[in-house]
């Protein structure tokens, strides 16, 4: 998948909480300029705090979206129907749900094809191996405790890099 | 080509109300009209949200520092069907539910928009934003979407 890019990746647990977020920031010169001017006009909230708040809100909006679309797919297609992905003119959202209602969401470029197997592999080879089997991680992950450990982060980065950069 | 199936067409007005709803082939769950109304409203909301969670780097600003428009959901895939959404410049949304293998759904949904323009908009007795009850539109859609 040469030239395609991945924007962000989220994991939601069965209590609807976002337990892991990762964003890949590409060349973003234009929006940074605009946030700088915004910070001047209402100086009360620093840009970094604002950006963190925006990220948190985005995660909530994404959860709401996939929750509704998942229900819509079941309503139209029957009980065993699964919502897979949606595409807008700008980005594509891929969705995978495990039997334990762990939800994995990835936002990518529109040119990317089906990412279901990739999300499955992230769950099976990274999440299960490094988070579930970790003796230090709790069974539940309130506020993402124990998910973002070194092995999982490193593994995820390497895995995504191997998919989205052209093989030399 | 029996696996190319158009299951249903829904038309949502700019306020999120369902104004047309027709199934062309069996294959979807049987829903009553109330469920379809809820579905249309839900989709209208999600469509708006999907425009605001755009993670792609912003394109060049338009003159006057305006944000370039984003499109919202254009197509949705599930394991049993594919939903193609076409939003007309006036805000009317056309949702076409097809089998996942159906090709060229964007062409099909645009043709439905044309039929809407021809038979609904040009009908002097149709009142805007209200449910569509136009017999000629029904017939034209049937002739186009129902496979013999």
């Amino acid at each position: 998948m040469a030239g395609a890019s991945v924007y962000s990746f989220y994991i939601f647990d069965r209590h609807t909480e976002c337990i892991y977020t990762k964003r890949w920031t590409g060349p973003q010169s234009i929006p940074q300029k605009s946030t700088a001017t915004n910070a001047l006009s209402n100086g009360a909230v620093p840009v970094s705090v604002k950006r963190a708040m925006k990220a948190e809100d985005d995660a909530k909006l994404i959860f709401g979206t996939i929750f509704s679309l998942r229900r819509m797919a079941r309503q139209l297609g029957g009980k065993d129907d699964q919502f897979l992905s949606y595409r807008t003119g700008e980005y594509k959202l891929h969705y995978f749900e495990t039997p334990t209602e762990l939800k994995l969401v990835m936002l990518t470029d529109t040119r990317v094809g089906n990412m279901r197997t990739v999300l499955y592999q992230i769950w099976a080879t990274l999440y299960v191996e490094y988070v579930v089997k970790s003796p230090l991680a709790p069974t539940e992950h309130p506020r993402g405790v124990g998910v973002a450990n070194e092995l999982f982060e490193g593994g995820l980065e390497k895995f995504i890099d191997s998919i989205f950069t052209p093989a030399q | 080509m029996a696996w190319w199936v158009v299951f249903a067409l829904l038309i949502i007005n700019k306020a999120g109300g369902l104004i047309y709803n027709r199934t062309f082939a069996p294959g979807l769950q049987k829903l009553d009209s109330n469920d379809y109304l809820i579905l249309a409203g839900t989709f209208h909301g999600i469509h708006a949200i999907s425009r605001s969670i755009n993670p792609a780097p912003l394109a060049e600003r338009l003159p006057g520092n305006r944000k370039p428009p984003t499109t919202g959901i254009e197509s949705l895939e599930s394991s049993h069907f594919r939903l193609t959404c076409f939003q007309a410049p006036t805000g009317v949304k056309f949702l076409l539910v097809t089998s996942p293998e159906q090709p060229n759904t964007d062409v099909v949904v645009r043709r439905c928009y044309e039929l809407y323009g021809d038979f609904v908009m040009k009908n002097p007795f149709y009142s805007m934003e209200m449910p569509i009850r136009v017999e000629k539109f029904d017939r034209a859609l049937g002739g186009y979407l129902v496979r013999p």
Side-chain angles (χ1 to χ4, degrees):
Chain A
M1 281 186 244
S5 53
V6 53
Y7 297 127
S8 50
F9 173 69
Y10 299 86
I11 302 177
F12 299 93
D13 72 356
R14 62 195 178 94
H15 307 294
T16 77
E17 196 179 344
C18 179
I19 56 170
Y20 182 76
T21 310
K22 184 157 179 66
R23 287 156 169 264
W24 287 264
T25 43
Q28 280 194 332
S29 54
I30 304 156
Q32 270 168 7
K33 232 183 276 166
S34 65
T35 47
T37 48
N38 283 346
L40 282 177
S41 55
N42 45 3
V45 187
V47 182
S48 55
V49 174
K50 236 183 185 177
R51 204 169 288 161
M53 274 158 62
K54 167 94 167 60
E56 210 171 289
D57 287 350
D58 270 0
K60 282 175 193 161
L61 284 175
I62 286 170
F63 183 81
T65 311
I66 57 165
F67 184 83
S68 307
L69 290 176
R70 174 168 151 265
R71 214 191 48 184
M72 202 171 120
R74 290 219 185 121
Q75 217 173 18
L76 277 174
K79 279 215 165 56
D80 57 338
D81 196 3
Q82 292 159 316
F83 162 57
L84 300 176
S85 68
Y86 78 70
R87 181 179 58 76
T88 79
E90 290 80 28
Y91 68 97
K92 191 168 176 182
L93 180 145
H94 308 264
Y95 175 70
F96 171 70
E97 185 176 335
T98 71
T100 50
E101 288 189 39
L102 195 77
K103 298 165 182 72
L104 287 86
V105 179
M106 187 175 270
L107 273 69
T108 65
D109 220 79
T110 49
R111 290 166 292 176
V112 176
N114 195 346
M115 292 280 281
R116 199 175 163 72
T117 47
V118 172
L119 290 175
Y120 174 80
Q121 279 176 341
I122 290 175
W123 173 62
T125 64
L126 296 172
Y127 186 84
V128 171
E129 287 300 320
Y130 299 141
V131 178
V132 177
K133 289 186 184 173
S134 162
L136 296 172
T139 25
E140 301 281 336
H141 306 279
R143 290 186 306 285
V145 174
V147 181
N149 60 46
E150 220 170 276
L151 283 170
F152 181 70
E153 291 261 15
L156 181 65
E157 203 135 302
K158 212 185 282 174
F159 184 54
I160 294 297
D161 277 352
S162 71
I163 294 165
F164 283 93
T165 48
Q168 262 90 43
Chain B
M1 307 280 180
W3 60 91
W4 295 0
V5 191
V6 173
F7 291 129
L9 175 75
L10 285 82
I11 304 178
I12 303 174
N13 69 11
K14 65 182 173 209
L18 186 68
I19 55 171
Y20 190 78
N21 153 30
R22 184 170 166 198
T23 48
F24 298 95
L28 293 180
Q29 294 297 106
K30 293 265 181 294
L31 295 181
D32 57 30
S33 51
N34 212 11
D35 287 335
Y36 272 114
L37 278 171
I38 296 168
L39 201 119
T42 314
F43 188 85
H44 183 75
I46 294 168
H47 190 270
I49 292 173
S50 75
R51 295 166 66 155
S52 80
I53 53 180
N54 176 19
L58 291 177
E60 284 294 320
R61 293 246 164 180
L62 296 174
N65 206 26
R66 282 179 298 137
K67 278 186 188 169
T70 49
T71 60
I73 296 179
E74 283 182 341
S75 94
L76 181 153
E77 270 181 71
S78 88
S79 47
H80 290 199
F81 65 87
R82 176 208 297 270
L83 191 151
T84 312
C85 174
F86 170 72
Q87 189 173 30
T90 49
V92 182
K93 281 191 271 294
F94 291 76
L95 308 188
L96 191 76
V97 188
T98 60
S99 61
E101 298 86 9
Q102 169 97 19
N104 297 327
T105 47
D106 46 340
V107 179
V108 177
V109 78
R110 264 161 213 271
R111 178 77 187 127
C112 294
Y113 176 49
E114 267 174 45
L115 292 175
Y116 168 81
D118 278 347
F119 293 103
V120 181
M121 286 296 106
K122 291 179 187 171
N123 182 340
F125 301 106
Y126 174 69
S127 49
M128 294 294 287
E129 312 291 324
M130 294 309 267
I132 297 167
R133 299 192 205 289
V134 182
E135 202 192 312
K136 279 204 165 178
F137 179 60
D138 283 342
R139 225 180 298 144
L141 270 184
Y144 179 52
L145 293 177
V146 177
R147 306 224 170 235

